[in-house]
Amino acid sequence: KESTSGVIIDLGGVFMSEIIEFLITVRDERDNWKIKHSLADIVLLIFFARLSGAEFWEEIEDFGNIYETSLRSVLTLENGIPSHDTLQRVFATLDAQVLVEVTLMWNDILREADLSAKTFPSFAKRLLAIDGKTIKGNSSQTQKALHIVSAYATDLGICYGQVATDDKSNEITAIPDLLDKISVKGCLISIDAMGTQTAIANKIIKKQADYCLAVKENQKGLLEDIQPFFNVGKRETDSYETVEKAHGQVETRRYEVINDTAWLRKERPNWGHIQCIGKASITIDKEGKQSEDTRYFILSCQASAKEFCAYVRGHWQIESMHWQLDVVFREDANKTLNKQLAFNLNVLDKFCLAVLKQLDVGKKMSLRRKKFNLGMNFDQYLKKLI
């Protein structure tokens, strides 16, 4: 089947059969005598319904009743469609790692389709962008909103893993926990300034990966060392520039890197793995008025300015994914207070985003509109999903 990207993805029924086989092997914590609906049926029904636009548990049950005949071609449904209470209760007790494994199966499908060569420069390392997002609807007078830190593979558009933390100030401790849960060997990890900590950098190196970390005022001494170095003459500086027109303005981005950093490693021995420093500047010209912004980065591997550009701009994709969760799946409007349930929905919705991006609906359209079309014509598109 051909996706809207023009890349052929031949699922051939293998993907869904592998998921069903995997879910059958997952340990079900429910009492056997109480089980009327298999775990595989419940998870896949919720997946299909969320993918098709169902936002509330009653709507998921309604979706199942409307499309029960078609769903029986994939699910067993020995006792019909589960009630919305059953769906919600079981999904709240599901180990989120089960959903992560399903996502990684999708990753294997994409690898077979060789999508990575299309979406990411061949000269760059695989980029894993790490960032956090607060589930605003999960807060109440008695609890703080759930905050989830995710590792996003930008070339495949999937999350390799995620961990929950109580508030954003705990991202510093959550990131090492996340790195322990996933394989990052050979990848480049990008994190915003909050993650620019020696403990996190050391963890990345220990995991046989590299990093590209933003440097701001939270590492003031390091920032003050880096800034003037780009203004010193006779330095071997590689540069790369792009000019784009968007939203009625001209955006000029300039990327510079210096790979001679022995002086910095000597000055900052606790940052002894820095192999490159980078400077990213953007100048915006709108109606004759100009504004400028400059950011600085440290890298544990040497890179060209063009590679550095790919890393810096690639990190934006995880922020875009967080925005899409709100726009496409209205995540912040969801008032689910159960933290495990909210976490599982977050993992599933991120998987749904990855599937929606590759699903061919015949013409180019927004993800939210694509989801609507899927819900209106589920019988037709089910064949493409299985």
Side-chain angles (χ1 to χ4, degrees), residues 11-61:
L11 297 180
V14 176
F15 175 56
M16 198 56 60
S17 64
E18 286 185 354
I19 286 183
I20 294 172
E21 290 176 8
F22 167 70
L23 290 174
I24 290 174
T25 66
V26 172
R27 181 178 178 180
D28 197 330
E29 300 295 338
R30 295 175 291 169
D31 295 329
N32 288 332
W33 65 275
K34 293 182 179 180
I35 297 177
K36 294 178 58 179
H37 307 281
S38 74
L39 188 63
D41 279 359
I42 288 174
V43 173
L44 288 172
L45 173 57
I46 296 171
F47 163 66
F48 287 135
R50 297 289 289 182
L51 194 67
S52 303
E55 295 182 356
F56 304 101
W57 297 102
E58 292 86 350
E59 294 176 353
I60 295 175
E61 181 184 351

Side-chain angles (χ1 to χ4, degrees), residues 288-317:
K289 296 181 179 180
Q290 287 191 347
S291 61
E292 296 183 6
D293 181 55
T294 301
R295 294 176 293 160
Y296 295 89
F297 298 81
I298 53 174
L299 295 85
S300 63
C301 61
Q302 296 200 344
S304 69
K306 192 172 183 179
E307 288 173 326
F308 173 57
C309 168
Y311 297 143
V312 172
R313 300 201 70 175
H315 183 81
W316 174 84
Q317 292 186 43

Side-chain angles (χ1 to χ4, degrees), residues 177-221:
D177 291 341
L178 175 59
L179 291 171
D180 282 336
K181 294 178 181 294
I182 59 179
S183 174
V184 298
K185 183 178 179 180
C187 298
L188 185 132
I189 312 298
S190 65
I191 315 176
D192 62 19
M194 181 173 289
T196 306
Q197 309 288 332
T198 53
I200 291 175
N202 290 334
K203 170 73 74 172
I204 292 171
I205 297 300
K206 186 177 180 180
K207 296 277 290 185
Q208 301 182 54
D210 285 301
Y211 60 71
C212 177
L213 305 177
V215 181
K216 293 184 179 179
E217 291 296 328
N218 65 322
Q219 291 286 346
K220 190 173 182 179

